[in-house]
Amino acid sequence: MDSWSSIARACSAVAILLVSTACRQRELPVYKTVPQFTLISHTGAPFDSSSLRGNVWLADFFFTNCTGPCPRMSSRFRQIQRSFAGAQDLKFVSITVDPQRDTQAALADYARKFSAEPGRWFMLTGPVDQLQNLSRNVFMLGDVSGDLTHSTRFVLMDRKSQIRGFYQSSEPESIQQLNKDIQLLLKGKT
């Protein structure tokens, strides 16, 4: 009987360890804080990133004439926007890599096409050197070099505009993790 009770105690200890490990929240890293920046919104109005403070937000880089990954990325943003429809403190920022063609009118059309919720999802443009700095040095996603290649990753920021994660937009597992991480940040955890 002693060996059976020892086995039972060992199994209970393993079960408790497994449950506590599974219930423990994932701790999100802090990569860096996004500094304040000002661009032009698809509405034509100046957009000051300080308006994002206090909100959880996602960023990506795209261009409106893209026939490759950009429509898929924007569809994912639309899907996440719908999934978190009640979370008005979740914002979306899409920054063009093609400011010459992505005029305010082109961005506004694109915003309508993907049902960007006003005041919640912003399509942004600005001077090439500023877009380059944001893509390379701030969001760590590579160059805005004029050849229209760009990262297809999403970047997640917390309420202090700290980068907390990078997610490959084309991988369903990565998007599932993104949704979980958004929930954690919206609840004020990690």
Side-chain angles (χ1 to χ4, degrees):
M1 294 278 194
D2 282 331
S3 65
W4 282 111
S5 62
S6 295
I7 291 171
R9 277 194 301 267
C11 287
S12 293
V14 169
I16 290 169
L17 178 64
L18 290 173
V19 168
S20 68
T21 301
C23 292
R24 192 175 313 137
Q25 287 180 186
R26 172 174 130 96
E27 188 68 29
L28 298 178
V30 175
Y31 292 97
K32 67 189 301 185
T33 300
V34 175
Q36 187 274 334
F37 61 88
T38 303
L39 293 171
I40 302 297
S41 172
H42 65 276
T43 63
F47 176 86
D48 185 337
S49 68
S50 62
S51 67
L52 297 169
R53 285 241 182 232
N55 295 284
V56 174
W57 55 288
L58 286 170
D60 72 346
F61 285 78
F62 80 112
F63 62 102
T64 61
N65 292 312
C66 178
T67 58
C70 299
R72 183 186 67 242
M73 293 168 64
S74 297
S75 291
R76 291 260 194 219
F77 261 27
R78 178 177 53 206
Q79 184 179 39
I80 295 167
Q81 178 184 249
R82 286 181 182 158
S83 295
F84 291 93
Q88 292 302 306
D89 53 347
L90 175 62
K91 308 293 184 190
F92 304 84
V93 173
S94 294
I95 302 170
T96 185
V97 298
D98 188 11
Q100 290 76 22
R101 286 190 289 181
D102 285 346
T103 63
Q104 182 266 321
L107 292 173
D109 286 343
Y110 197 82
R112 277 190 293 280
K113 178 180 178 181
F114 286 96
S115 304
E117 189 178 320
R120 200 162 169 223
W121 186 358
F122 307 92
M123 309 281 175
L124 304 176
T125 189
V128 173
D129 59 333
Q130 189 176 5
L131 301 177
Q132 165 69 8
N133 179 57
L134 287 169
S135 183
R136 174 171 272 302
N137 301 321
V138 175
F139 293 105
M140 302 178 284
L141 294 178
D143 290 320
V144 174
S145 61
D147 66 2
L148 302 182
T149 58
H150 61 90
S151 174
T152 58
R153 291 185 296 164
F154 296 151
V155 185
L156 176 63
M157 273 62 60
D158 65 17
R159 295 180 190 279
K160 297 177 184 176
S161 293
Q162 298 175 112
I163 296 175
R164 302 303 294 272
F166 297 89
Y167 307 85
Q168 188 52 254
S169 65
S170 61
E171 296 174 4
E173 305 81 27
S174 186
I175 298 302
Q176 288 173 353
Q177 188 61 57
L178 170 60
N179 285 323
K180 290 176 186 175
D181 293 347
I182 289 170
Q183 288 174 345
L184 287 176
L185 292 177
L186 286 172
K187 291 177 183 175
K189 299 182 178 176
T190 101

